[in-house]
Amino acid sequence: GNIIGSGIFISPKGVLEHSGSVGLALVVWTLGGCVAALGSMCYAELGVTIPKSGGDYSYVTEIFGGLTGFLLLWSAVLIMYPTTLAVIALTFSSYVLQPVFQNCAPPYMATRLLSATCLLLLTWVNCSSVRMATRIQDVFTVGKLMALCLIIVVGLVQIFDGMSFTMDTLLLNPYKPPSIGQVALAFLQASFAFSGWNFLNYVTEEVVDPRRNLPRAIYISIPLVTFVYTLTNIAYFSSMSPEELLSSNAVAVTFGEKLLGAFAIIMPISVALSTFGGINGYLFTSSRLCFSGAREGHLPSLLAMIHYKKCTPIPALLVCCAATIVILCIGETHNLINYVSFINYLSYGVTIAGLLWYRWKKPNLYRPIKVNLLVPVSYLMFWALLLGFSLYSEPVVCGVGLIIMLTGVPVYFLGVHWKEKPKCIDNFIAWATSVGQRLCFVVFPQIDPIEIASPSEWTDQSSGRKSFSGRS
C-alpha cells in the first residue's frame, strides 16, 4: 500500500529519459525491484534485532551513535519527507488540472496552490483523527489499484491485437545511447517509485510475530509490485512512442486519451485519488519520525507531544506540513525526485552498513532473523556503484544534498550535544514549548519503560523473550 503511489505515474518519464531505450528502461524497473528486495531483507533483520520505532533513524542511532542518527533525521525532516510529499502533491495537482489545460502545461501558481490546499486539508484530517486518516488511506488505495489495473488491461489488449509493440521497439531502437552515469540516474528515478519498502520497520513493535511476518511481507509484496510496475510500463509503451511519453506532462492521462476515448476522464481521477492517498500516508509516517526523534532528544520536545484527547502528534504534523510547503516552491518535479532519491539511497546504504558493523560489534546478540552476508554485501556493492556514478553525472544535485545533510553537524552540537546552555536559552525553549502546548492542546504521552529500553538491556537472549534490567 505504501510502495504503490505517485512514482509509477511520474517516474516512467524520468527512467526512459535517462536509460535511452525502452528495453533498458524495463530492465531498470525489474532490477529496481530486485534491489528493493535485498534491502528489505536486511531491514527485516534490523527490525527484529532493534525493535524500535523510527526505522533507519533508530537503527543508525543505536549502532553508530547520536550524531550519525541525527544527520539522518535532519536530512529526513528537511529533505526526504518534505520533498517526497511535495512531489506527490505536485503530481496530484498536475493530474487534476491536466484535463482543464489539455494543450499546455498547467500554470505554475495553479499547481502550487492546489498542492498546498491538498496538503493543508490532509494535515487537518491527520490532526483531527487517527481513525479518519486511516479510513482515507483505505478508501483511496482503491483508486491507485483501479488506475494500474486499467492501464495494464488496456495495454495487454493492445499487445494481443498486435498494435505498435514489437521486440524491435523494446530492444533494438534506442532513441539515444545511454552512458553508465545516465543509467545510474535512471535507477534513482525508479527507486522513487519503489520507496516505501522500508515503511513496515516504522511499526515493527506492533507487527504480530515479526519473525514470521516480516519476511512474508517482503516475499509477497516486492515481487508483486515489481511485476505490476513492469506490466504498467509495457502498457505505456504499447500505445506511446518514447517521444510521446517524454513530451507528456501526465503519462497516465496521455495513455487514457489515446486509448479510452470518452472514458479517458477515468484516468486523471484515478491517479488523483492515488496521489491524494499517498500524501495522507506520507504525512502520517513523517510525523511519526519527527515524534520519534523528539522522544530521543534530537528534536524539540514539543514534537514528542500529542493532543490530550485525540492522541494525534499535532506539532509534528504542522512541522511536516510547513517544510513541505517550502519545498513546493523549489525545483522541478523530476529534479526533486533525483534529489530525494540520492538522499534516500545514502541513508539506506548507511543503515545496511550498520547491519554489518552490528554483526561484528555484537556477534552474540539474539537475532530472530539473520540474512546471509551476501545479501547486505550485494546491496552495498550496488549502492556504492549507483551513488558513485550519480555523483559523477549530477554533481550539483548530489553535492547540494550532501551539503544540506552536513548542515546538521553544527545544529547537533549546538542543540543536542551542548547540555549546559545559558539560562536565557533554556527559559526561551521552555516558554516556546509552553506556548506550543497551549496552542495545540498537547502533552507528553505516557510511555511504558519497555518501549524505551535498548537491545543491550535484553538479558534472556537464548529463549528469544525480552527481559529488562537496569530500568524501572
Side-chain angles (χ1 to χ4, degrees):
N2 279 297
I3 296 175
I4 300 177
S6 65
I8 187 59
F9 302 111
I10 57 177
S11 291
K13 178 177 178 178
V15 173
L16 179 63
E17 181 180 1
H18 292 297
S19 62
S21 71
V22 173
L24 187 54
L26 294 178
V27 171
V28 167
W29 281 105
T30 304
L31 291 181
C34 296
V35 173
L38 293 176
S40 297
M41 289 187 283
C42 296
Y43 270 64
E45 176 177 330
L46 287 169
V48 296
T49 306
I50 307 175
K52 287 185 174 182
S53 300
D56 318 57
Y57 159 70
S58 295
Y59 306 149
V60 171
T61 301
E62 175 71 25
I63 297 170
F64 293 119
L67 176 59
T68 309
F70 178 82
L71 291 180
L72 276 188
L73 178 67
W74 177 258
S75 61
V77 172
L78 282 188
I79 302 174
M80 290 195 295
Y81 277 111
T83 301
T84 303
L85 275 167
V87 169
I88 299 174
L90 288 172
T91 306
F92 167 80
S93 59
S94 175
Y95 274 90
V96 169
L97 295 174
Q98 184 72 16
V100 180
F101 300 92
Q102 294 185 4
N103 299 320
C104 63
Y108 178 90
M109 286 304 299
T111 56
R112 264 58 185 180
L113 286 174
L114 183 57
S115 299
T117 302
C118 171
L119 189 68
L120 290 170
L121 172 62
L122 287 174
T123 301
W124 174 80
V125 169
N126 277 268
C127 289
S128 300
S129 170
V130 173
R131 176 173 293 184
M132 190 188 305
T134 55
R135 291 287 172 82
I136 286 178
Q137 191 69 13
D138 293 340
V139 170
F140 284 91
T141 294
V142 177
K144 58 188 170 189
L145 295 177
M146 288 175 56
L148 289 177
C149 288
L150 183 61
I151 290 171
I152 291 171
V153 170
V154 173
L156 291 177
V157 170
Q158 289 290 103
I159 294 173
F160 292 142
D161 285 346
M163 295 179 61
S164 67
F165 190 85
T166 64
M167 292 304 295
D168 289 342
T169 303
L170 275 177
L171 303 175
L172 303 179
N173 293 327
Y175 70 92
K176 69 173 184 178
S179 64
I180 297 179
Q182 289 297 314
V183 173
L185 290 177
F187 270 104
L188 282 180
Q189 289 279 339
S191 73
F192 175 79
F194 282 99
S195 61
W197 55 262
N198 61 327
F199 276 14
L200 192 59
N201 291 73
Y202 287 90
V203 293
T204 304
E205 299 171 56
E206 302 162 66
V207 175
V208 177
D209 192 6
R211 182 177 182 177
R212 179 184 182 187
N213 289 328
L214 272 176
R216 177 181 291 180
I218 294 165
Y219 300 146
I220 294 174
S221 64
I222 301 298
L224 179 62
V225 171
T226 305
F227 181 71
V228 169
Y229 279 5
T230 305
L231 282 182
T232 302
N233 278 274
I234 290 175
Y236 286 148
F237 295 127
S238 71
S239 61
M240 290 185 284
S241 67
E243 291 76 15
E244 288 177 316
L245 192 146
L246 291 173
S247 63
S248 172
N249 293 315
V251 177
V253 171
T254 304
F255 177 88
E257 289 174 349
K258 290 196 68 172
L259 298 182
L260 298 181
F263 297 99
I265 192 65
I266 295 175
M267 194 55 60
I269 292 175
S270 299
V271 178
L273 293 177
S274 170
T275 51
F276 191 82
I279 297 169
N280 182 70
Y282 268 88
L283 265 176
F284 191 92
T285 306
S286 60
S287 62
R288 271 59 182 180
L289 178 62
C290 289
F291 177 88
S292 180
R295 191 173 62 177
E296 294 287 339
H298 286 167
L299 290 176
S301 59
L302 181 64
L303 300 182
M305 298 184 185
I306 62 175
H307 192 273
Y308 78 100
K309 187 176 181 180
K310 299 173 182 176
C311 297
T312 53
I314 293 178
L317 283 163
L318 294 178
V319 166
C320 294
C321 178
T324 305
I325 289 177
V326 172
I327 294 292
L328 276 174
C329 304
I330 303 173
E332 190 265 336
T333 304
H334 294 289
N335 290 333
L336 288 176
I337 294 174
N338 281 336
Y339 200 53
V340 73
S341 296
F342 177 80
I343 300 298
N344 263 329
Y345 254 92
L346 189 61
S347 65
Y348 297 157
V350 171
T351 304
I352 293 176
L355 182 149
L356 297 176
W357 171 256
Y358 216 49
R359 288 266 192 104
W360 177 80
K361 184 180 178 183
K362 296 188 177 182
N364 297 322
L365 184 66
Y366 176 68
R367 293 174 170 85
I369 297 174
K370 192 172 183 178
V371 299
N372 190 292
L373 274 178
L374 286 176
V375 175
V377 169
S378 300
Y379 184 93
L380 287 175
M381 290 176 60
F382 179 84
W383 171 80
L385 187 68
L386 178 64
L387 286 191
F389 281 116
S390 299
L391 192 59
Y392 175 78
S393 300
E394 293 285 349
V396 175
V397 173
C398 301
V400 171
L402 289 174
I403 290 172
I404 293 179
M405 178 181 286
L406 293 176
T407 58
V409 174
V411 176
Y412 173 80
F413 283 104
L414 290 174
V416 180
H417 185 74
W418 184 23
K419 302 297 183 182
E420 302 297 328
K421 298 182 179 67
K423 189 175 181 179
C424 60
I425 295 179
D426 288 334
N427 289 339
F428 174 77
I429 293 174
W431 172 82
T433 302
S434 177
V435 170
Q437 284 187 267
R438 296 173 188 223
L439 288 174
C440 300
F441 296 94
V442 292
V443 294
F444 282 114
Q446 293 182 343
I447 301 178
D448 191 320
I450 259 183
E451 296 179 8
I452 58 175
S454 66
S456 61
E457 295 172 279
W458 295 13
T459 57
D460 186 14
Q461 296 177 0
S462 60
S463 66
R465 297 179 62 84
K466 300 178 185 177
S467 61
F468 297 87
S469 60
R471 289 183 184 175
S472 62

